[in-house]
């Protein structure tokens, strides 16, 4: 039975709400991400029965239980691989992956880089709380070096992955960063991710109130966020700061954070963000910016068109179907060296 | 054409081709098999090659072989020992002398029988002059030299010319077996379709070999094997791996679905992936994943999305897939896991055959995680059991593990081409769009399967996953009694499959002294040995298991009809141990071998006689 | 201090603390256990919490519990049912009423018993007024209000003040059990060492609870449980996971090696990693790997490099480690694999207990890949079996799988501290530097172990790996007979372990009507039930297996002495099936339960009586 | 028994030769890599008994059988994890990992990025023949898009990883590229890798004569290699070409390949290679250079000092040993809450 699609039914956010209780801790950053996703889904234009949420294991990975779509809560680290199969089976589905920093960067690291390399058209929501939440507080591959956690009583000695940097290393076509406490930014970023054709990686700085409370506070704190974040938008100059008087500029092939008005610097000297630049050198720079030298880059940092795995796959399938004389198994079994025995 | 010497009519004959990895013995073997099939012989083949890509030339470790057994009666194995051995160098001779019958014809390429080669092969003395070949009919042909001469005059450079020597061998054999050399020419024309220069040179060398054989005195007799009688219809030769791939493709067609294979290459299962990737024209999609876990995970995703999903691997890969198989058990999604067994443990003997993944297939997952397990028993019936694996998986909504092995996978036999309209129907329990009162874990009481609703279908949105599911609703449940019920449902669902599979059959008398029990790929050797002894008047029967979990419903009853039961397998006794746990009332004698080799008819007969004498 | 009401002397008492995840019930439980241990009671505890971190407050799914069983005789389980239940809200009451004895004392925080909370807990009617608590001694204390008052006056803010309410409960219980409140104060001083404000406030609330209990009439009687007699020496309470970690540390010390643990966090095994990471001062190194495969692989590397290497996980992780365990089998390196079983299959019931990974431990790998498998049977003896696992692995040079379970891992009991000098010696078969004629696969005929030469040692350079090894030389070998020999060596090596382990013991008469068979973590419930029935004059004995592969040498003989054998386990019958395959001559009756819960004494007694009556 | 070390014995290359036959195909690129390694080992100064070769599964991974050191031929993809354990167990060993493009980039991808992130002091020799050799010719994650292989009869549709790019994405401290047919460059590069403290990734463009013969020929071909490779050396200007008149230069923050003498460009305009630059933006550019626009970068592209996992680990161990009053198990078992029962 081939799958049929109903005429596109305009979904509303009510369509995506489930009666079931959301079992994250009170104050967990997950709650606001969930409502931003529910808000954005109707805007993506996907018929509601075509939307699939796939997750691994972790607090964040409970997500599919809290949203009324097709959902698959799978194995720790394997959501990317399962989603790859879903898309290779049916490219018309709108597939969202919800994963944690442990799920995607530790056990799932390989599937993460491979789905990106293949550029399969899915949206990855990476809840980066820099800790293993569900198993109660061990460090993850994104935990800042030196952090004291249940498995690092003297502080971690491992360097932390930056999901954006790894995405670039794996030739990612879309990477964005956002914050659980900024619904407006989440909504814009999620919509852009959904619109991108290819693997969209969205890193969400999410707060785990229980095991890594305030781990992002230098970036997301109410008092500092305007100075410590830069919300990048394609085509706009790179300005940030409470006073909107700080910016990013290239000097001798290096990027610098500068103040408009000082040393004769004007807005025109600032870099204009080009998210569509095929060459990712600048995006690579942006994703690695760190406090205190730089603000932390937010928004859609890279969004580049490229061939999508499942489209190419079905192009080959269509071509083969058209060109081959073998239309079914009887044809196949009688092709090539067949011997007749008169017995 | 000069007149032929005396022709000996044979019922069956075993030919072994052996040489360096680069000598083209696999090709000659294929060509000889196809020709035999063409004239109507039954046949069974088995290649046998080193685990290195091109193991050092001239060494015993580097010998690559191909054995063909042809017959005018039914042929069930590639044969224990060869009637004709082709040895392209001393190493090939050394490696194969123990697999050659007394009095066999041994064809050697005399150009490679020199001191340098003897030493490489590990000979201390020249085997041609130490009497070790006494009693054999040794044909010493200057194969390299003559091939090179002919091929270079046909325009090939020296290096390419040397690659034609397998056609000299082929020519020799066409003469020896009174075969029409035209068939060999056609084979070459097809093989080198786009390279006319190669066709020309190879045909010239083929004729050179044929003519050489005719000319020399050494081959005083030639052989003839009649076509099989009673075998009527269209046939082709097929290897186990190809048959497995085709069985899955056929099942997809019957079920009205498209096939999805998510795999990672691994010897000896890789050809299944390589075969399916060729059939995009049938809508089949093969995904070469980054590892085994991604392979099966993607297949689970594809199954969720409504494809007939499969994954293919060998032992180490199956070990990696255990966690994911558990997820398929819990989510009750259809999934075929093909495991082509090879020598273990660990990397083990990756190019050799073994049956030691049985317990892994049954139990290699956390928790109570039952799977249907079935096994193919000949290269050709890999087609049927792959089809059956898919049918059971789709209709019962649970993963099925199909076991084959290296011996079946690489071996080939003559296969009667089935008609798709005669294959059984496959009816997956799909849910209709917008079905009322849909619950993802609602069950059909007949098979206990849940129903399959697929993303994209309106009105059926639902969520599944690896946490324990609530009965009927499918929601996450931590309720103690629910867990008990669900564990039992999953187990019963698998056990109920016994109502949908054939009863266990016995070949030979339905009761008697000795029941030989086999499972999977050992069928050929077992049936041959059992038939031989029964022909000698012994009270002996065979029952070969293809359905492992669940066992057929009449298993206990079958066992009860015999005085002794002997379980033969290529491991340390895994099936015997499983039978003890399922049907403890019988005593199971064992014959086990774990040498990377298939069972031999000769050793089995000795063992059977021993047991029979003790009754 | 006002005069006490009547004091009831009890042999044993079970207290269950239950509340929301944030209510601190685990802490109060710990505090109460420690105090009981301090005054010399025997004890056994079991926490029981939801799989969400902070499941929704006030719901049944969100209830977090802690059960303590204390006694003046030996205590083997945390108890089937509670004598005293503390329920911090209606959900806690609802979730636990079926685990409470008739006539039990139920202490509730009346401040949370309102309509909002009833609804959340799923009550239709107010349980305090629907007669459902008739027959119980219900104590309704305004715990939240009083705690908040006291703690805020002690200087805490409202939110922090609310976290002290578990100390009100503690105070109540100190009074109820006639305990010295000083011990509770000391506990708090240590707990909040660096936070004097918290110490002060918590102590104030503790006293408030104590005083409240003394004042109200509701608690007309108090209880007293005498210290255990005959238990002499130094004791501490220990959980199974801590004991496992310490057992490995102790083995390393005894073997003169350093411990290396390569693990990936997973419930309920994570605490082993968290414990070992704390003991760098003993030279122990713990590596939190990127996944389970890297965890075990790194441990194999560490073993090759000469450490006592271990990896800890739970069922899904064990599934992922199968391939690597095979490598350890083939390379014959020492390695301890700890598997803390949880509810399966797949993700299953991750915070619940089960014994369903037995067959996976035995067979979850490709090829013939035997491992030593042993199981701990109480929280404290996890120490001994972890030690034993390391000893066997090091001395026999082969991987050992140690099975524990969620029930043992999180449960705690009173443990008599052993003396290191009385622990058995561990002598790994290391090779001396520059040893003459060193061959990596040369074996000691006694245990069949190979010898361990470690990188850095001069004169012993060699290569190992996953391909089949040549006997003695250890070089890659594809020889058929060699494979047979090596498979047998590996199997014999494991079977020979039977000569180095204790005989299987029977508790109770050495022969009789019914032999109850258990393995691993079910010991407490089984021994209690069997002893109870024997006290009633029944002919019943228990034999609990800690050694699974190989089974002790006298197993067959032990079984033969009883009329009936009943195998009890928390799965669908895995050990029973294994016993059938190993000792098929007996009939094994089964009692199985798979509900994420431990066995209960009461249900066992019913079953035992049923079987006894049939004899 | 603690491991003792002999006084440093000067090893010669003869010490590393094994009698056993090397079973790679005649003409396989592996042979020359093997002899270069054997040549370089004595120069590393490591006592011969301290050297360990660890490999996964693949043609390349048979390497340990062909060299006389401690060796471990392990599982497909897991050499990095096994080696991590070896180093964490005994940091004084000199550990070399031999791996293939399938072994390290496909099944072993996760361990590859994690060993790099942790910066464990090993040397990784990545035989990149852009094919699965041992399993006879399926495409790998580095196979150029469009290639026809046994599993891509119509050409691959997957983008190829660049090992160097992925190394940067995982925060690699050392990356070099070399060619199986250039023994001198191999020797220099291997020696630099051995000297580097941290994870050294050396990508070797290796030829598989059987299944991907000449896959690197545009880069390594005798006639083109001088024009199509640039051998980078720290502190030297980036010059290449048969005539040594081509170079790399920065223009408007982008790198360009230029000709000395044209448009007034002199050697002074060229970039001077700084392998020690902590900021890896330039290294990231260099590893991604592709023909025909750019020559392919060879030599040590990045070599930056950073903290090494196992050193930090043993610092913590030493500190704990010094500071803790608990010296042995008896101490531990008697620490904390101990109750005495008089019975
Ligand atoms: C195979 C396997 N290994 C380990 C676990 C245990 N586990 C569950 S979630 C998790 C990490 C969660 O961290 P993250 O992905 O960051 O999610 P979070 O809970 O922080 O949202 C781990 C280690 C598991 N469920 N399965
Ligand atoms: C778990 C597992 N999966 C698959 C295989 C099969 N296998 C062996 S080597 C290999 C790929 C080899 O490619 P590469 O690493 O590039 O090495 P090369 O042979 O090209 O040197 C594969 C897929 C295996 N041995 N083990
Ligand atoms: S533990 Fe942390 S991540 Fe998990 S639900 Fe609670 S706050 Fe959220
Ligand atoms: S197959 Fe390729 S990589 Fe393997 S040994 Fe032969 S040439 Fe080398
Ligand atoms: Mg996290
Ligand atoms: Mg390769």
């Amino acid at each position: 039975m081939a799958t049929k699609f109903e005429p596109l039914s305009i979904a509303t956010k009510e369509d995506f709400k489930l009666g079931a209780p959301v079992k994250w801790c009170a104050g967990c950053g997950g709650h606001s991400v969930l409502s931003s996703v529910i808000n954005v889904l109707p805007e993506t234009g996907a018929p509601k029965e075509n939307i699939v949420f796939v997750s691994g294991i972790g607090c964040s990975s409970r997500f599919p239980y809290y949203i009324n779509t097709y959902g698959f809560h799978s194995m720790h680290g394997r959501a990317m691989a399962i989603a790859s199969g879903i898309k290779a089976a049916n490219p018309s589905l709108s597939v969202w992956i919800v994963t944690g920093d442990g799920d995607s960067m530790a056990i799932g690291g390989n599937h993460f880089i491979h789905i990106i390399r293949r550029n399969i058209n899915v949206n990855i929501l990476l809840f980066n709380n820099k800790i293993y939440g569900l198993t109660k507080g061990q460090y993850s591959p994104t935990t800042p070096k030196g952090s004291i956690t249940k498995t690092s009583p003297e502080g971690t000695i491992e360097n932390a992955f930056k999901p954006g940097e790894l995405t670039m290393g794996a030739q990612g076509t879309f990477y964005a960063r956002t914050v659980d406490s900024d619904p407006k930014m989440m909504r814009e970023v999620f919509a852009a991710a959904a619109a991108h054709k290819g693997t969209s990686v969205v890193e969400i700085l999410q707060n785990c109130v229980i095991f890594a409370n305030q781990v992002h506070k230098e970036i997301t704190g109410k008092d500092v966020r305007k100075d410590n974040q830069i919300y990048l938008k394609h085509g706009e100059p790179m300005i940030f700061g409470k006073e909107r008087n700080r910016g990013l500029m290239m000097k001798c092939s290096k990027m610098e954070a500068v103040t408009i008005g000082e040393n004769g610097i004007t807005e025109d000297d600032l870099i204009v963000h080009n998210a569509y630049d095929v060459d990712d050198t600048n995006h690579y720079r942006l994703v690695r910016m760190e406090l205190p030298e730089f603000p932390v880059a937010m928004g859609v940092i890279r969004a580049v068109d490229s061939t999508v795995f499942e489209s190419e796959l079905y192009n080959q399938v269509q071509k083969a179907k058209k060109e081959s004389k073998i239309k079914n198994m009887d044809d196949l079994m009688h092709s090539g060296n067949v011997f007749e025995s008169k017995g | 054409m000069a007149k032929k010497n005396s022709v000996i009519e044979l019922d069956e004959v075993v030919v072994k081709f052996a040489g360096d990895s680069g000598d083209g013995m696999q090709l000659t073997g294929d060509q000889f098999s196809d020709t035999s099939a063409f004239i109507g012989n039954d046949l069974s083949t088995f290649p046998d090659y080193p685990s290195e890509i091109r193991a050092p030339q001239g060494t015993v470790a580097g010998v690559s072989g191909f054995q063909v057994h042809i017959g005018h009666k039914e042929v069930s194995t590639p044969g224990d020992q060869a009637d004709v051995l082709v040895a392209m160098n001393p190493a090939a001779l050394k490696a194969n002398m123990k697999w050659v019958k007394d009095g066999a014809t041994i064809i050697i390429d005399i150009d490679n029988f020199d001191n340098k080669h003897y030493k490489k092969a590990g000979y201390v003395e020249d085997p041609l002059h130490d009497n070790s070949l006494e009693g054999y009919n040794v044909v010493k042909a200057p194969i390299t030299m003559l091939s090179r001469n002919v091929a270079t005059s046909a325009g090939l450079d020296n290096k390419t010319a040397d690659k034609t020597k397998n056609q000299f061998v082929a020519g020799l054999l066409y003469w020896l077996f009174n075969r029409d050399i035209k068939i060999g020419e056609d084979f070459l024309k097809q093989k080198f379709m786009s390279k006319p220069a190669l066709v020309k040179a190879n045909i010239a060398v083929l004729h050179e070999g044929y003519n050489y054989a005719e000319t020399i005195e050494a081959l005083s007799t030639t052989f003839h094997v009649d076509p099989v009688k009673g075998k009527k219809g269209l046939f082709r030769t097929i290897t186990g791996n190809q048959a497995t791939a085709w069985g899955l493709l056929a099942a997809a067609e019957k079920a009205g679905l498209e096939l999805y294979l998510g795999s990672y290459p691994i010897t000896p299962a890789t050809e299944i992936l390589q075969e399916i990737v060729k059939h995009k024209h049938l809508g089949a999609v093969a995904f070469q994943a980054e590892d085994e876990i991604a392979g099966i995970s993607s297949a689970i995703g594809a199954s969720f999305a409504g494809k007939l999903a499969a994954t293919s691997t060998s032992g180490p890969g199956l070990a990696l897939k255990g966690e994911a198989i558990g997820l398929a058990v819990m989510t009750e999604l259809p999934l075929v896991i093909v495991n082509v067994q090879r020598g273990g443990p660990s990397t083990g003997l990756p190019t050799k055959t073994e049956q030691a993944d049985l317990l892994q297939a049954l139990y290699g997952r956390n928790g109570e995680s039952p799977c249907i397990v079935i096994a193919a028993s000949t290269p050709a019936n890999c087609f049927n059991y792959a089809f059956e694996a898919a049918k059971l998986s789709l209709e019962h909504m649970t993963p099925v593990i199909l076991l084959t092995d290296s011996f079946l996978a690489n071996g080939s036999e003559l296969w009667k081409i089935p008609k798709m309209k005669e294959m059984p129907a496959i009816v997956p329990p799909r849910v209709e769009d917008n079905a009322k009162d849909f619950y993802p874990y609602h069950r059909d009481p007949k098979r206990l399967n849940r129903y399959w609703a697929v993303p994209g279908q309106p009105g059926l949105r639902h969520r599944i996953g690896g946490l324990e599911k609530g009965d009927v609703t499918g929601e996450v449940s931590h309720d103690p009694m629910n867990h008990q019920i669900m564990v039992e449902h999953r187990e019963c669902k698998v056990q109920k499959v016994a109502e949908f599979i054939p009863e266990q059959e016995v070949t030979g008398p339905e009761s008697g002294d000795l029941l030989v029990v086999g499972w999977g790929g050992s069928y050929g050797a077992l049936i041959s040995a059992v038939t031989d002894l029964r022909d000698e008047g012994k009270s002996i029967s065979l029952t070969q298991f293809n359905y492992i979990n669940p066992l057929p419903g009449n298993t206990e009853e079958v066992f009860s009809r015999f005085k002794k039961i002997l379980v033969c397998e290529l491991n340390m006794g895994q099936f015997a141990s499983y039978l003890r746990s399922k049907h403890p009332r019988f005593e199971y004698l064992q014959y086990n071998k774990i040498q990377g080799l298939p069972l031999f008819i000769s050793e089995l007969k000795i063992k059977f006689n021993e047991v029979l004498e003790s009754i």
Side-chain angles (χ1 to χ4, degrees), chain B residues 466-477:
Chain B
L467 286 164
E468 183 58 285
K469 302 274 140 300
D471 194 16
V472 182
T473 68
E475 274 160 25
V476 173
S477 166

Side-chain angles (χ1 to χ4, degrees), chain B residues 230-446:
Chain B
K231 253 193 170 164
K232 218 169 151 178
L234 293 175
F235 289 82
R236 61 187 305 144
T237 60
I238 195 160
T239 65
N241 272 344
Q242 188 183 5
T244 302
W246 286 18
L248 294 174
L249 287 167
E253 185 172 308
K254 267 290 180 185
L257 299 171
E258 280 164 342
L259 177 64
Y260 177 97
L261 182 79
S263 288
Y264 187 72
I266 186 167
T267 306
T270 311
E271 292 80 14
I272 298 172
L273 170 62
Q274 290 176 180
E275 181 62 29
I276 287 177
V277 92
K278 284 189 223 153
H279 300 299
K280 297 199 179 68
H281 53 95
L282 297 177
V285 163
F287 180 73
Q288 182 183 315
E290 56 271 28
D291 62 17
E292 280 81 357
I293 298 175
I296 188 171
S297 297
S298 79
I300 290 172
S303 173
F304 182 57
K307 293 251 175 179
L308 165 54
T311 186
S312 50
T313 192
S314 184
L318 188 63
L320 289 167
K321 290 176 200 282
E323 189 199 9
I325 297 174
L327 179 65
V329 168
M330 183 64 105
T331 53
E332 308 194 29
L333 284 169
L335 176 69
V336 177
I337 301 118
V338 181
N339 185 49
V340 185
Q341 298 167 97
R342 66 186 212 183
S346 194
T347 307
L349 295 172
T351 58
K352 305 292 175 194
T353 200
E354 203 159 286
Q355 297 185 292
D357 289 346
L358 178 68
L359 293 175
Q360 178 182 218
L362 286 164
Y363 304 123
R365 298 165 290 281
N366 58 299
E368 291 291 349
S369 188
C371 281
I372 301 173
V373 178
I374 68 178
S377 47
T378 73
N381 82 14
C382 286
F383 178 86
N384 305 80
Y385 288 100
F387 185 93
E388 179 74 351
K391 179 175 161 69
L392 292 175
S393 188
L394 288 166
E395 293 183 339
H396 297 256
M397 292 290 286
T398 199
V400 176
I401 299 180
L402 169 64
L403 295 172
T404 72
D405 59 44
S406 187
F407 178 71
L408 298 181
N410 293 313
S412 72
E413 62 181 350
L414 206 63
W415 176 51
K416 178 157 182 184
I417 299 171
K419 297 202 176 62
M420 282 306 290
K421 68 170 193 288
E422 289 166 11
M423 299 291 295
I426 299 180
V427 188
R430 285 286 302 267
V431 188
E432 289 198 359
D433 290 357
N434 294 309
K436 288 243 160 55
D437 297 326
F438 165 68
Y439 286 107
Y441 278 70
H442 176 70
R443 286 173 203 282
D444 175 349
K446 208 170 120 202

Side-chain angles (χ1 to χ4, degrees), chain A residues 47-265:
Chain A
K48 59 178 185 281
E49 58 271 9
N50 275 14
I51 300 176
V52 184
F53 275 80
V54 185
S55 67
I57 301 286
C59 289
S60 35
S61 289
R62 296 277 169 109
F63 196 102
Y65 292 125
Y66 308 147
I67 190 163
N68 190 4
T69 64
Y70 282 98
F72 203 144
H73 175 237
S74 71
M75 288 172 286
H76 194 33
R78 316 302 172 190
M80 275 72 63
I82 291 185
S84 299
I86 294 175
K87 283 298 279 188
N90 184 353
S92 67
L93 297 174
S94 165
V95 175
W96 296 74
I97 295 170
V98 180
T99 181
D101 44 316
D103 197 59
S104 62
M105 300 276 111
I107 192 169
N110 205 26
H111 313 306
F112 182 77
I113 58 180
H114 278 87
I115 198 171
I116 292 172
R117 176 173 71 82
R118 295 192 181 102
N119 202 30
I120 293 179
N121 186 15
V122 297
N123 310 308
I124 301 178
L125 304 180
L126 196 174
F127 283 49
N128 189 359
N129 56 13
K130 306 200 171 182
I131 198 80
Y132 291 171
L134 191 69
T135 48
K136 306 193 174 168
Q138 302 76 30
Y139 64 87
S140 92
T142 63
T143 302
K145 193 165 182 171
S147 305
I148 288 174
T149 71
K150 288 228 187 97
T151 43
S152 57
E154 299 96 3
T156 58
I157 57 176
E158 303 190 8
N159 307 308
F161 273 144
K162 290 197 178 58
E165 189 178 14
L166 198 56
T167 302
M168 300 293 146
Q171 305 178 2
T173 58
F174 184 102
Y175 170 77
R177 197 188 274 132
T178 184
V179 171
D180 60 2
S181 53
D182 193 334
K184 186 166 163 289
M185 194 201 286
M186 278 196 282
R187 193 158 168 163
E188 290 168 359
V189 159
F190 296 167
H196 175 71
K197 293 210 166 22
T199 308
S200 310
V201 178
V202 181
E203 178 186 2
I204 304 161
L205 303 185
Q206 176 237 351
N207 191 44
C208 169
V209 285
I210 307 294
F211 299 112
N213 198 15
Q214 302 300 339
V215 71
H216 306 295
K217 72 164 181 286
E218 274 182 84
I219 306 170
T220 62
K222 273 217 179 82
D223 43 334
V224 294
R225 67 179 177 213
K226 292 223 163 116
D227 286 330
N228 290 351
Q229 295 179 18
I230 178 164
Y231 187 7
L232 298 165
K233 300 199 173 170
H234 177 77
E236 294 183 14
M238 298 190 182
I239 299 183
F240 67 104
K242 252 200 276 307
E243 321 283 329
R244 303 289 297 161
N245 67 340
R246 306 263 296 142
L248 298 176
M249 171 177 166
M250 290 305 297
K251 283 196 191 165
C252 307
S253 300
K254 299 242 165 191
M255 201 163 55
E256 270 184 33
V258 296
T259 306
I260 303 176
E262 276 177 18
N263 304 320
I265 292 171

Side-chain angles (χ1 to χ4, degrees), chain A residues 68 70 333 335 337 339 341, chain B residues 34 231 235-236 457 461:
Chain A
N68 190 4
Y70 282 98
M333 294 190 288
S335 66
N337 276 353
F339 318 109
S341 170
Chain B
D34 264 21
K231 253 193 170 164
F235 289 82
R236 61 187 305 144
Q457 286 193 277
R461 287 177 294 168

Side-chain angles (χ1 to χ4, degrees), chain B residues 113 130 133 189 259 267 426 431 515 563:
Chain B
F113 279 68
D130 67 356
L133 295 179
K189 283 179 194 153
L259 177 64
T267 306
I426 299 180
V431 188
L515 179 67
K563 290 196 190 135

Side-chain angles (χ1 to χ4, degrees), chain B residues 154 156 188-189 191-204:
Chain B
L156 298 191
L188 292 168
K189 283 179 194 153
K191 183 86 200 166
F192 299 111
M193 191 129 44
S194 51
K195 294 168 186 150
L198 281 186
V199 174
K200 196 182 129 206
N202 275 291
I203 289 182

